[in-house]
Amino acid sequence: MLLAQILFVALLVTAITRFSRMVRKIRRNILLGRDERISGDRWQRWKNVLLLAFGQKKMFRNWIPAVLHLFVYLGFIIINIEIVEIILDGVLGTHRLFLPYLKGVYPVFISAFEVLAVLVIVACAVFLIRRNILHVKRFTQPEMTRWPRQDANNILIFEIILMLLFLTMNTSDQALQMHHAPHYVHTGRFLISYPLAQEFSHLSNGSLVALERGAWWLHIAGVLFFLNYLPYSKHFHILLAFPNTYYASLDPKSRMPVMESIVPEVRNMLGLPEEAASDGSSMPAHFGARDVFDLSWRHLLAAYSCTECGRCTAACPANLTGKKLSPRKIMMDTRDRLEEVGRNIDQHGQFVDDGKSLLNYISEEELRACTTCQACVEECPVSISPLAIILELRRYLVMEAAQTPQDWNAMFTSIENNGAPWAFPPDQRDQWTASL
Amino acid sequence: MHIPTVAELQARGEQPELLYWVGCAASFDQRAQRTARALAKILTHAGIRFAILGQEESCTGDPARRAGNEFLFQLMALKNIQTLNQYQIQTIVTACPHCFNTLKNEYPDLGGRYTVWHHTQFIYRLIRDGKIKLKPISSEALQLVTYHDSCYLGRGNGIYDAPRDILQALQLKIVEMAHHRSRGMCCGAGGAQMWKEEEKGTTRVNIARTQEALDTGSRTLAAACPFCHTMLYDGVKYAGKEEEVEVKDIAEIVAEHLQ
Ligand code: SF4
Ligand code: SF4
């Protein structure tokens, strides 16, 4: 028994150490973004976390996937409670540690977990079918290349395996209890595994113990593997959805934040007095965003929170009418570039110019197609704003790279000279009142 | 009917209770000018002492800002704020959701703080408070109308009900498009698209959107934004339906029903 305990603790410590190393890297990457103070009502932020992250509110705009996702989500949370017992059993060399404390309630709990496990299996199976057989449009768009698709499938298959292992473990346990095997204390009947155990009761105790222990070990090893897979996967959203909904903007969706750094200069041009309360905001490296460093850390956090669900893209008028723009791709590109920058830092100790930027991932054509309609922001179940990134990149294109479509240049000139985006002279502005 | 400018009022030692911010589209675009005139009629009918800035009004800077030209935006915004503050303007109504959003949500960052109404909100209040007398149900009543949510009004500022409440008060029957309210589809003009060719695609946004509107079978497509108005009108023309289907701003529809 002791050997098993030592093995178990070693496995646990390795998995947790590795995971926390990955998390620290991601945190470092996110903090490569521009500093941005968080303002606004804290209670409103907590409310958003409760409604959107815990409550899955936005998911229910689309109820079939919402219900299925809810199973997986509840399954995840509740199975995690069960994992606590597994871990303690593993460390202490006990079996079903909580049983004496919970007594009659114990089989009720485990039965509930089992029902959820079955629901998770069903949901994951339907998700696999939607993705791979029904080819739901938002899962087959161009940015859903090999890895994003593989990633989604990996997770689903993995969840199914974990749940099957959990059920196998309980079933063999129940069969062993029927045989009054030593060490397998009597727990009462579990809802799903008890009937199944009848089918297995002809097996010898030896085989059942092998099955039970095998499933137990694979289950916990699988969970620890899953933990370490998360940081490489879009499924990191199961952790980051919480901070992301907390830090998401509380502003009206149509509001663009002001670029503080140029206010003094513009005021100066107009001969306006200096604002007293200058918060010492210095000139940024770039006007708008050229690379991930120029985006706010909130945008980078969002890039890691994106679940690649494509709800944003499915609602984007530009995408719906065949333009290249896909707001989901904006988020995926931001994450990909950020990971590339992170690898660069890992390799050199600091970022060494690689001659690239976020604009190597996102083309001008995509950025130009956005109508700023905010549908992507509205749809995102975890409160991401692809629009915010698009607007920052547009600022760079126009204010620094001077890559402006001719028509827009004409519009700018007109606004500057006539006070109107069209070339009408200002003294015609009130002509409409003449025919009243 | 003469619409005074704020400067005129000031010369007489008066202050308007409300500033009507007309916006570029309603000032210069012939079809949008009808909205401006309709709103002016409604405000006059309701006995509101309002004024315009006239030639002192300038672009809010919204299209420049969305295109990426923050510098030009701030230049315009600071100039407009100077004008508004100099006249001690407190309350503004506008028929343009882009002006509305900029004045309400973005000017405060630069020192311009006003109470800003979109005309659909303001008109609805006038109707509710009995300040506007509407004609009794006419032959037009119960006619089908569909309302196109402007992105900057709906998703942007959560104003979905006021325009619909007005249409209902006029006893028009609203049929919703496939995408409406928070799922409404853009007309294609926002984000400074109005001033350039659309990027390459399979169809144009306004054509796709107008098709949704036409699919409702409505004879009237109601808009609450001059840009949506233009986009839908172009879409109707593209579909060859301009004889059967009219695109109107909510203010125009209300003005037609004034007693
Ligand atoms: S804001 Fe831009 S990217 Fe987002 S849905 Fe609208 S057009 Fe697409
Ligand atoms: S940005 Fe939001 S809506 Fe779009 S794919 Fe990512 S999670 Fe989904």
Side-chain angles (χ1 to χ4, degrees):
Chain A
M1 215 60 200
L2 192 62
L3 182 65
Q5 276 169 264
I6 293 171
L7 259 173
F8 182 85
V9 172
L11 184 68
L12 192 67
V13 170
T14 317
I16 292 176
T17 317
R18 266 209 62 177
F19 176 72
S20 47
R21 206 168 49 228
M22 285 303 300
V23 168
R24 274 201 305 278
K25 259 188 204 170
I26 288 175
R27 190 185 129 85
R28 176 204 65 196
N29 289 356
I30 289 171
L31 293 179
L32 291 174
R34 213 168 22 79
D35 196 13
E36 188 185 339
R37 262 179 323 232
I38 293 303
S39 58
D41 191 358
R42 260 192 336 144
W43 294 116
Q44 188 55 48
R45 293 181 180 282
W46 279 113
K47 211 173 114 190
N48 284 347
V49 175
L50 278 177
L51 284 177
L52 299 169
F54 278 107
Q56 313 262 300
K57 183 172 160 223
K58 280 276 180 73
M59 289 296 288
F60 279 89
R61 285 171 77 79
N62 221 342
W63 76 269
I64 297 180
V67 170
L68 295 171
H69 183 266
L70 188 71
F71 292 160
V72 181
Y73 164 75
L74 288 178
F76 176 77
I77 292 193
I78 294 178
I79 293 289
N80 269 321
I81 304 174
E82 210 268 334
I83 289 287
V84 176
E85 188 186 42
I86 295 195
I87 289 179
L88 290 175
D89 276 343
V91 175
L92 304 172
T94 48
H95 186 67
R96 300 208 180 264
L97 178 69
F98 293 166
L99 179 63
Y101 305 98
L102 295 172
K103 297 202 181 75
V105 196
Y106 188 83
V108 180
F109 269 118
I110 301 290
S111 296
F113 296 164
E114 289 190 351
V115 171
L116 267 164
V118 172
L119 290 176
V120 170
I121 292 172
V122 172
C124 289
V126 178
F127 282 148
L128 279 170
I129 293 169
R130 277 164 61 88
R131 280 183 182 265
N132 300 289
I133 299 174
L134 299 180
H135 293 297
V136 172
K137 183 166 174 252
R138 64 187 159 98
F139 301 131
T140 54
Q141 274 150 331
E143 67 269 22
M144 296 313 281
T145 46
R146 235 178 61 96
W147 170 247
R149 264 195 233 192
Q150 186 65 53
D151 180 25
N153 284 337
N154 284 352
I155 294 280
L156 292 169
I157 293 168
F158 213 79
E159 296 236 23
I160 293 179
I161 294 176
L162 283 182
M163 294 302 130
L164 287 175
L165 285 169
F166 173 66
L167 292 174
T168 311
M169 179 178 103
N170 281 355
T171 304
S172 38
D173 193 318
Q174 294 267 301
L176 284 160
Q177 289 179 36
M178 286 177 214
H179 295 181
H180 302 288
H183 194 63
Y184 288 92
V185 281
H186 193 71
T187 56
R189 295 172 178 185
F190 300 155
L191 199 63
I192 309 272
S193 55
Y194 181 76
L196 288 175
Q198 316 282 350
E199 307 296 320
F200 287 80
S201 55
H202 64 275
L203 292 177
S204 72
N205 275 10
S207 327
L208 284 172
V209 170
L211 204 55
E212 196 275 336
R213 282 293 93 188
W216 189 92
W217 274 97
L218 280 175
H219 182 248
I220 188 70
V223 168
L224 295 175
F225 175 82
F226 188 75
L227 184 72
N228 277 281
Y229 177 79
L230 278 186
Y232 298 96
S233 156
K234 66 156 188 151
H235 276 74
F236 209 46
H237 80 263
I238 59 179
L239 300 177
L240 289 189
F242 296 90
N244 198 65
T245 44
Y246 181 83
Y247 289 120
S249 166
L250 298 177
D251 290 343
K253 293 188 187 67
S254 51
R255 180 182 188 273
M256 259 178 97
V258 71
M259 203 163 146
E260 299 276 3
S261 57
I262 62 167
V263 178
E265 195 187 337
V266 180
R267 290 185 68 88
N268 201 5
M269 274 185 65
L270 288 169
L272 293 168
E274 278 289 326
E275 288 271 77
S278 169
D279 58 350
S281 53
S282 52
M283 271 294 166
H286 293 287
F287 292 118
R290 176 182 169 272
D291 207 345
V292 286
F293 308 100
D294 310 315
L295 291 169
S296 153
W297 63 268
R298 286 196 310 127
H299 300 145
L300 303 184
L301 171 65
Y304 275 112
S305 313
C306 174
T307 74
E308 297 170 15
C309 67
R311 282 156 208 266
C312 50
T313 297
C316 172
N319 193 276
L320 283 169
T321 53
K323 276 81 178 174
K324 266 204 186 138
L325 173 63
S326 160
R328 166 173 55 190
K329 179 173 172 292
I330 301 286
M331 299 317 298
M332 293 170 70
D333 287 343
T334 306
R335 175 173 172 161
D336 287 349
R337 171 60 184 160
L338 185 53
E339 294 262 80
E340 183 178 57
V341 166
R343 284 193 301 274
N344 181 315
I345 295 175
D346 289 341
Q347 203 186 337
H348 302 105
Q350 63 180 48
F351 181 68
V352 175
D353 190 9
D354 57 358
K356 287 205 220 166
S357 76
L358 187 51
L359 290 162
N360 290 89
Y361 288 76
I362 304 172
S363 70
E364 225 180 296
E365 182 178 343
E366 290 162 75
L367 295 170
R368 294 284 184 241
C370 174
T371 69
T372 69
C373 75
Q374 312 136 46
C376 50
V377 194
E378 180 77 42
E379 291 305 323
C380 181
V382 291
S383 301
I384 290 171
S385 173
L387 172 61
I389 295 180
I390 294 172
L391 288 171
E392 287 300 331
L393 291 164
R394 274 189 177 185
R395 278 179 174 168
Y396 172 79
L397 286 182
V398 166
M399 295 179 74
E400 201 167 314
Q403 285 171 18
T404 317
Q406 203 37 55
D407 292 340
W408 274 0
N409 268 329
M411 181 255 289
F412 296 154
T413 312
S414 199
I415 291 182
E416 218 171 328
N417 298 338
N418 309 313
W422 291 284
F424 291 108
D427 58 7
Q428 281 179 15
R429 203 173 249 281
D430 49 4
Q431 269 185 3
W432 63 273
T433 62
S435 56
L436 261 166
Chain B
M1 182 167 66
H2 172 72
I3 300 173
T5 60
V6 184
E8 268 173 65
L9 289 188
Q10 199 184 43
R12 283 190 259 144
E14 286 172 37
Q15 202 25 55
E17 65 183 290
L18 181 74
L19 173 80
Y20 169 29
W21 182 279
V22 188
C24 303
S27 298
F28 298 113
D29 180 88
Q30 292 214 344
R31 230 166 313 111
Q33 284 179 347
R34 285 194 239 154
T35 305
R37 287 194 281 265
L39 182 57
K41 260 186 220 149
I42 296 167
L43 295 175
T44 310
H45 175 98
I48 309 275
R49 268 189 310 113
F50 74 100
I52 57 173
L53 280 174
Q55 297 182 10
E56 284 185 275
E57 190 186 286
S58 207
C59 176
T60 58
D62 164 79
R65 184 171 226 202
R66 264 68 197 171
N69 196 336
E70 175 76 7
F71 197 81
L72 182 52
F73 163 75
Q74 290 192 10
L75 210 57
M76 302 311 290
L78 286 167
K79 272 199 256 184
N80 283 322
I81 290 169
Q82 245 187 317
T83 311
L84 290 165
N85 289 355
Q86 172 205 324
Y87 288 119
Q88 294 174 333
I89 297 299
Q90 264 151 20
T91 315
I92 302 177
V93 68
T94 178
C96 174
H98 294 267
C99 296
F100 172 74
N101 174 63
T102 314
L103 292 166
K104 179 173 192 281
N105 299 324
E106 300 182 350
Y107 276 23
D109 283 338
L110 294 163
R113 289 194 172 72
Y114 319 101
T115 305
V116 188
W117 296 91
H118 184 252
H119 72 319
T120 54
Q121 291 177 304
F122 199 79
I123 293 172
Y124 180 64
R125 282 220 328 171
L126 293 176
I127 293 178
R128 195 194 60 194
D129 298 348
K131 300 240 171 73
I132 299 184
K133 301 228 164 23
L134 297 170
K135 276 188 212 156
I137 309 171
S138 67
S139 55
E140 272 173 288
L142 304 171
Q143 188 192 299
L144 294 189
V145 45
T146 192
Y147 168 67
H148 165 79
D149 284 285
S150 148
C151 305
Y152 275 69
L153 212 54
R155 275 189 294 269
N157 288 284
I159 303 172
Y160 298 110
D161 290 331
R164 290 179 169 82
D165 289 342
I166 294 173
L167 295 173
Q168 238 137 33
L170 298 174
Q171 312 230 9
L172 296 164
K173 181 148 176 31
I174 304 170
V175 253
E176 297 288 3
M177 289 182 238
H179 294 100
H180 59 277
R181 295 182 73 101
S182 67
R183 295 190 173 179
M185 187 191 176
C186 183
C187 70
Q193 298 296 336
M194 189 76 185
W195 290 275
K196 73 166 182 54
E197 280 302 316
E198 260 185 47
E199 301 304 309
K200 222 168 56 254
T202 46
T203 180
R204 299 174 64 93
V205 176
N206 68 324
I207 289 168
R209 182 52 166 171
T210 311
Q211 197 50 54
E212 283 193 359
L214 294 173
D215 288 344
T216 63
S218 305
R219 300 279 303 275
T220 310
L221 311 188
C225 166
F227 299 108
C228 299
H229 193 150
T230 303
M231 285 305 202
L232 291 175
Y233 181 75
D234 289 348
V236 169
K237 263 209 320 217
Y238 178 87
K241 293 265 161 97
E242 69 266 44
E243 302 292 325
E244 303 141 56
V245 176
E246 277 189 299
V247 184
K248 282 184 190 160
D249 190 276
I250 300 254
E252 287 180 81
I253 303 177
V254 173
E256 285 164 13
H257 286 73
L258 291 178
Q259 238 184 35

